[in-house]
Amino acid sequence: MKWEENIRKVVPYTPGEQPHGQHIIKLNTNENPYPPAPGVADRVVSLDLDQMRLYPAFPEQTPLAEALARRYQIGREQLFIGVGSDDVLSLAFMTFFQSGKPVFFPDITYSFYEVWADLYKIPYEKKSLDENFCIRPEDYRQPNGGVIFPNPNAPTGVLLDLQKVEEIIEANQDVVVIVDEAYIDFGGVSCLPLLQKYDNLLVVQTFSKSRSLAGMRIGYAMGSAKLIGYLNDVKYAVNSYTLNYAALQLGVEAVRDEVYFKEQCDRIVRTRKHAEEELQRLGFIYPKSYGNFIFASHKKMPAQVIFEKLKENDIYVRYWKKKRIDNYVRITIGTDEQMEALYCALAKICG
Ligand SMILES: *Cc1c(COP(=O)(O)O)cnc(C)c1O
């Protein structure tokens, strides 16, 4: 068809399956197994129907922005809030990676980066992780059009220590460096304090994992006022009203309850530690994870078989048939009860 020659063609990102059913144990998309802060439930019932008639507020002018700015000790002009961090990251690709030079990111990483780069026609170069799935800062010293990596990395869970993160930023002060901290609350050290030293650093976080609000779609970026200003210009050139009224209201409650937040993160970390022992006992190897998931490979049973057999048992984990990682499954940390069911199923499959 002639018209097909002149349209934008992309290979979209493939998210993990969202199966439905009561009995299903869903450990495939790194959702939090615990409910959001109790304040969220209270606020849900007092949402104002009349507000739904109106266009929502601009995120940066809401109590949510105020709460986040206070929580992270930054100015409101240093904060951008989007519809999940995917929205924030997509806008950041559009805004910051315009030089025509290749953007650098790891070969094994969040696969959405490649999709956005293709979508916006941004050239890119993937830098190989070392044999332990670690980022090598020296790979990021060549001329480039920007740098992005998750810390901890996905889907490996490997954390790059703060000193090495700074090494990468230090070597790349002529471009924008984005650190995607989607999983930072599960034991990692945030590079947020580096904002004081580097005005080209953008730190992106999300409510989807540690704050149990994946369904509300809230993500945010922190950076210098200048950087955030450019991001806002692009955002307001694409879509003015993005976060909906309910998300803006409920998000505040999730940020305010620091006690609950810490408790839930600690709980996941405790379950992760126990999972490491159990998986080891079952014959798995894995890099040490700082996320709410473990990236594991069995010494004998192929990962694809494990993935498929678990699914037959209504347990969903994530598997990628991709170079270097096609013998790994990524297992989200669920409740202790869900994890016990997983170990039980794995013992049968791998035993
Ligand atoms: C989950 C995830 C995101 C996106 O999460 P949102 O739900 O869009 O906030 C971004 N980056 C990484 C590495 C993730 O794992």
Side-chain angles (χ1 to χ4, degrees):
M1 236 53 93
K2 184 81 181 147
W3 57 263
E4 278 188 291
E5 289 167 20
N6 298 311
I7 59 177
R8 192 186 289 273
K9 295 180 194 79
V10 286
V11 180
Y13 172 74
T14 319
E17 286 175 81
Q18 291 293 73
H20 296 286
Q22 291 243 303
H23 45 285
I24 282 166
I25 297 182
K26 196 172 174 306
L27 307 174
N28 68 335
T29 53
N30 294 347
E31 289 143 334
N32 197 308
Y34 301 112
V40 175
D42 299 339
R43 188 71 187 86
V44 163
V45 294
S46 66
L47 287 178
D48 182 358
L49 271 174
D50 197 48
Q51 286 294 324
M52 297 186 194
R53 192 174 56 76
L54 304 172
Y55 280 110
F58 300 121
E60 63 275 17
Q61 295 168 9
T62 58
L64 178 59
E66 214 174 284
L68 280 170
R70 198 177 316 127
R71 167 68 173 77
Y72 292 99
Q73 297 284 296
I74 55 169
R76 273 216 240 174
E77 67 293 345
Q78 292 183 277
L79 180 68
F80 176 90
I81 312 177
V83 185
S85 51
D86 285 341
D87 177 44
V88 178
L89 291 164
S90 161
L91 287 166
F93 267 68
M94 216 192 291
T95 310
F96 300 125
F97 297 154
Q98 284 288 309
S99 69
K101 289 187 208 152
V103 168
F104 290 176
F105 49 81
D107 62 338
I108 297 162
T109 196
Y110 190 37
S111 50
F112 227 141
Y113 299 161
E114 197 170 345
V115 174
W116 288 314
D118 286 334
L119 173 64
Y120 301 131
K121 304 187 196 314
I122 299 163
Y124 57 91
E125 252 177 64
K126 298 191 219 176
K127 300 292 175 185
S128 292
L129 300 178
D130 73 11
E131 64 284 2
N132 299 315
F133 291 144
C134 288
I135 289 173
R136 295 180 295 205
E138 61 271 26
D139 291 346
Y140 296 79
R141 292 191 166 273
Q142 298 128 359
N144 63 65
V147 174
I148 178 164
F149 59 92
N151 198 37
N153 197 5
T156 61
V158 174
L159 183 77
L160 189 65
D161 65 50
L162 190 57
Q163 203 186 327
K164 288 185 175 163
V165 172
E166 180 161 14
E167 212 178 306
I168 293 176
I169 303 164
E170 229 244 302
N172 287 286
Q173 298 183 53
D174 294 343
V175 294
V176 174
V177 177
I178 303 176
V179 183
D180 178 353
E181 294 190 336
Y183 301 105
I184 200 67
D185 299 321
F186 301 107
V189 180
S190 174
C191 68
L192 196 61
L194 296 178
L195 286 188
Q196 306 203 343
K197 263 168 98 176
Y198 303 97
D199 60 3
N200 62 319
L201 169 64
L202 192 76
V203 182
V204 179
Q205 297 188 356
T206 176
F207 282 51
S208 296
K209 280 80 184 223
S210 56
R211 295 189 190 273
S212 301
L213 283 176
M216 276 291 115
R217 313 303 302 127
I218 309 171
Y220 52 103
M222 298 172 281
S224 63
K226 206 163 191 185
L227 213 56
I228 296 298
Y230 284 118
L231 197 54
N232 262 316
D233 287 347
V234 170
K235 176 254 159 105
Y236 284 106
V238 173
N239 184 354
S240 306
Y241 304 109
T242 47
L243 277 117
N244 67 68
Y245 158 69
L248 287 166
Q249 297 295 317
L250 303 181
V252 184
E253 302 302 327
V255 183
R256 277 190 190 147
D257 198 337
E258 192 65 23
V259 174
Y260 181 85
F261 170 71
K262 287 228 166 76
E263 263 171 28
Q264 299 313 309
C265 291
D266 287 350
R267 227 165 139 182
I268 303 256
V269 170
R270 275 202 303 276
T271 306
R272 182 182 72 205
K273 286 202 173 118
H274 183 61
E276 286 174 342
E277 291 162 21
E278 292 288 330
L279 289 174
Q280 194 173 12
R281 189 178 56 79
L282 289 160
F284 284 89
I285 55 161
Y286 45 83
K288 176 153 183 49
S289 172
Y290 287 83
N292 63 341
F293 55 87
I294 295 179
F295 197 53
S297 182
H298 195 266
K299 288 173 191 156
K300 294 193 188 113
M301 191 61 69
Q304 190 168 6
V305 175
I306 296 173
F307 166 73
E308 277 157 13
K309 293 230 164 127
L310 282 175
K311 199 192 275 198
E312 285 166 21
N313 285 278
D314 284 330
I315 300 176
Y316 285 70
V317 298
R318 197 83 198 270
Y319 172 75
W320 290 272
K321 209 177 184 122
K322 275 190 190 172
K323 215 167 54 185
R324 281 192 86 179
I325 58 169
D326 60 358
N327 202 27
Y328 285 81
V329 287
R330 190 197 64 191
I331 304 166
T332 302
I333 303 299
T335 62
D336 290 318
E337 196 188 357
Q338 291 176 318
M339 298 306 281
E340 292 305 324
L342 171 79
Y343 310 141
C344 200
L346 286 175
K348 282 183 204 141
I349 294 165
C350 305

